[in-house]
Amino acid sequence: MGQSLEKQCVGCAISSYYTVLSIEKFLPIMHAGSGCIRNGGPLMGAQNGSQQGVGFSEGLMPSTNLVDVDIVFGGEKKLKKVIDKSLEYYDADAYVVLAGCVASIIGDDLEEVERSYEDSGKPVLVTEVAGFKGNNIYGHEQVVKKIIDSLCEKTDKINKKQVNVWGIIPYYDPFWAGTYDAIEAMLTELGFEVNIIYGRGRGIKSVKKIPEAAFNLVLSPWWEVNIAKHLEKKFGTPYLHYPTLPIGPTETAKFLRTLREYASLDEQVVEDYIRKNEDKYYYYIEKGISLLCDAKVLPKRYLTIANSTYALSTSKYLVNDLGLIPEKQYLTDDVPEQYQQLIIDEYKDFESGITAEVEFTADVGKALDDVRKIREEGERINPPVLLGSMWNDVEARKLKTDSIHISAPVGNMVILNKTYFGYNGGL
């Protein structure tokens, strides 16, 4: 009998409807069972920063609501009817059909459905995101690749200042909106024309500009690296993969100097930017130095049960800038084997020479069992703070330590434009 997983931190591939909702005026159309919408809601929306779609919300998404009779006779006619009504009633720039498990199993001819709307006046895209093929990260990549392949055209008009930014998955990362805004502000000040397809004021015009970029920038150990590789193959656009989302002065300065070298930026401009922001950062740190030096307040150790992007990024900050010591690091986002060694190597690249033990597991319950063992060893004067999700809260209370939410699901807080990125994110 297969092992069951407790308290997962990834969702079903059908949850990628949140990817569509994150692109302005893109409408998701569900071609799936009536309960499939609820598979995404708790992890990606309401229980992850109280997020919801803007422009189009989850409750307004059209759906075929496939039932038993559709399994027998097929759901293509029903899907076309739903698409027809969506084109009539919804003012969208693109209509993205997400076919779930039932549609994939019964063999609906989804390519024929898509072809039948080529003359509709609005793009109708159909993609398979069956849950048995992968999790929400897999579904996200399928949707983005479909959008790129359908709406982007190769061009000789390359903008030497344009950079496309990738690596933060909207809604799955509860801090995505504020993080993309902060990245855009930083890169704009350095002279780039920043192109991001997710969030406020972007949308189809940003999607169509993707092939014009001088390069793609990926800020994550592995999220959306496949998107950058796909763009390199399709349009010949090179990419810079920086595997750590920079938090705090040390990693942000390292990132900026790597970017300067890659993009041949003016050294004086970059160093002035670093100096200005480090001065600001350390001014505020000095204001709180008495608290930060209090051994009863600031923990000495931390233990992480979180996705790989935020586990690694916060580790770099806590070790390099605050001097904390890492206990075991549990990475919960189903990291593909091909990227695991890269992440392990990054955990050996702390400024102090400290290393951390890493375990890749989607089973948060197993990780929490190890936390219970720490508690059973006896009371600690200064137990490790727990970084991760709301799943850590109960054990943190029993261990008499803090639980800091950096990874989905973050629970019942409302996140609007909060971000941990950069200098201000460290503060």
Side-chain angles (χ1 to χ4, degrees):
M1 182 177 177
Q3 181 184 4
S4 62
L5 303 179
E6 180 185 353
K7 298 181 173 69
Q8 290 191 70
C9 289
V10 290
C12 174
I14 201 74
S15 305
S16 55
Y17 65 76
Y18 276 102
T19 299
V20 183
L21 289 172
S22 73
I23 305 176
E24 196 169 78
K25 293 194 74 175
F26 274 47
L27 176 71
I29 299 174
M30 303 291 283
H31 185 40
S34 57
C36 287
I37 290 177
R38 296 301 306 156
N39 281 339
L43 176 68
M44 306 282 281
Q47 298 302 316
N48 197 34
S50 298
Q51 302 181 86
Q52 67 174 19
V54 178
F56 302 116
S57 67
E58 299 89 323
L60 296 177
M61 288 192 305
S63 176
T64 54
N65 293 329
L66 297 174
V67 293
D68 294 356
V69 68
D70 303 308
I71 296 173
V72 176
F73 296 105
E76 291 175 35
K77 289 183 179 180
K78 181 183 280 191
L79 175 57
K80 288 183 177 181
K81 183 176 180 180
V82 171
I83 294 173
D84 289 341
K85 291 300 180 182
S86 298
L87 288 165
E88 182 180 354
Y89 293 135
Y90 290 82
D91 178 21
D93 289 334
Y95 301 77
V96 183
V97 177
L98 305 170
C101 296
V102 174
S104 298
I105 290 170
I106 62 181
D108 282 347
D109 190 345
L110 300 175
E111 291 182 3
E112 189 281 326
V113 172
E114 184 174 273
R115 282 194 300 270
S116 67
Y117 288 93
E118 288 178 351
D119 298 324
S120 64
K122 291 286 185 73
V124 176
L125 320 179
V126 184
T127 185
E128 287 191 57
V129 285
F132 58 78
K133 292 185 177 181
N135 60 29
N136 62 287
I137 303 172
Y138 161 82
H140 168 79
E141 288 190 349
Q142 296 304 111
V143 169
V144 175
K145 286 179 181 178
K146 181 66 181 183
I147 289 170
I148 289 169
D149 291 345
S150 301
L151 301 179
C152 296
E153 297 181 0
K154 190 173 178 63
T155 178
D156 294 328
K157 176 189 167 186
I158 303 301
N159 183 348
K160 293 182 179 180
K161 291 186 176 182
Q162 181 181 319
V163 54
N164 301 324
V165 181
W166 308 95
I168 296 97
I169 298 179
Y171 288 95
Y172 181 57
D173 176 352
F175 313 107
W176 68 276
T179 298
Y180 273 125
D181 284 349
I183 293 170
E184 183 175 26
M186 172 187 283
L187 297 182
T188 299
E189 189 168 343
L190 293 174
F192 289 104
E193 294 179 18
V194 184
N195 190 49
I196 298 166
I197 68 172
Y198 313 115
R200 179 182 60 85
R202 294 158 187 155
I204 197 166
K205 67 180 186 298
S206 297
V207 171
K208 291 186 174 182
K209 284 173 60 179
I210 287 173
E212 300 175 14
F215 69 98
N216 291 294
L217 172 63
V218 184
L219 294 172
S220 167
W222 70 280
W223 294 354
E224 296 196 320
V225 173
N226 287 338
I227 301 298
K229 290 179 177 178
H230 184 69
L231 290 169
E232 183 178 52
K233 183 177 180 180
K234 188 174 182 68
F235 301 119
T237 312
Y239 67 92
L240 170 60
H241 177 204
Y242 194 83
T244 305
L245 181 68
I247 298 175
T250 300
E251 196 62 33
T252 305
K254 184 179 177 182
F255 160 68
L256 289 169
R257 289 174 178 133
T258 300
L259 182 63
R260 178 199 71 201
E261 183 175 347
Y262 180 86
S264 301
L265 299 178
D266 185 288
E267 182 175 0
Q268 191 62 48
V269 170
V270 173
E271 292 303 320
D272 286 348
Y273 181 90
I274 291 172
R275 189 178 305 109
K276 177 183 70 173
N277 283 279
E278 284 187 349
D279 287 347
K280 176 183 175 183
Y281 172 87
Y282 287 113
Y283 168 81
Y284 286 109
I285 286 293
E286 287 178 13
K287 286 184 66 179
I289 197 69
S290 60
L291 186 67
L292 293 172
C293 291
D294 188 341
K296 295 179 182 178
V297 176
L298 188 70
K300 297 298 182 186
R301 295 177 176 271
Y302 69 96
L303 184 149
T304 308
I305 308 173
N307 68 59
S308 56
T309 292
Y310 278 88
L312 179 59
S313 298
T314 53
S315 284
K316 290 291 184 78
Y317 175 64
L318 294 176
V319 175
N320 292 336
D321 294 305
L322 294 185
L324 272 65
I325 299 172
E327 296 205 0
K328 197 167 183 179
Q329 306 289 292
Y330 299 90
L331 309 189
T332 59
D333 52 336
D334 277 341
V335 179
E337 189 172 345
Q338 69 201 76
Y339 295 109
Q340 291 182 7
Q341 189 58 51
L342 179 150
I343 293 171
I344 291 169
D345 291 343
E346 286 293 320
Y347 269 104
K348 297 177 181 177
D349 191 33
F350 295 120
E351 299 291 319
S352 60
I354 288 174
T355 61
E357 182 182 358
V358 178
E359 181 173 334
F360 301 95
T361 177
D363 190 351
V364 175
K366 178 185 178 300
L368 291 173
D369 283 341
D370 290 351
V371 174
R372 294 181 191 106
K373 292 175 185 176
I374 294 175
R375 180 161 50 86
E376 290 165 2
E377 289 172 2
E379 292 290 330
R380 291 194 184 186
I381 296 175
N382 201 331
V385 64
L386 302 187
L387 301 181
S389 68
M390 61 183 286
W391 298 135
N392 299 350
D393 291 356
V394 172
E395 286 305 318
R397 285 196 295 269
K398 292 178 179 177
L399 195 59
K400 297 181 180 178
T401 189
D402 290 315
S403 174
I404 299 176
H405 297 175
I406 60 171
S407 179
V410 301
N412 61 350
M413 65 178 73
V414 178
I415 297 175
L416 303 178
N417 65 346
K418 179 182 176 68
T419 179
Y420 288 115
F421 173 81
Y423 294 96
N424 286 336
L427 292 172

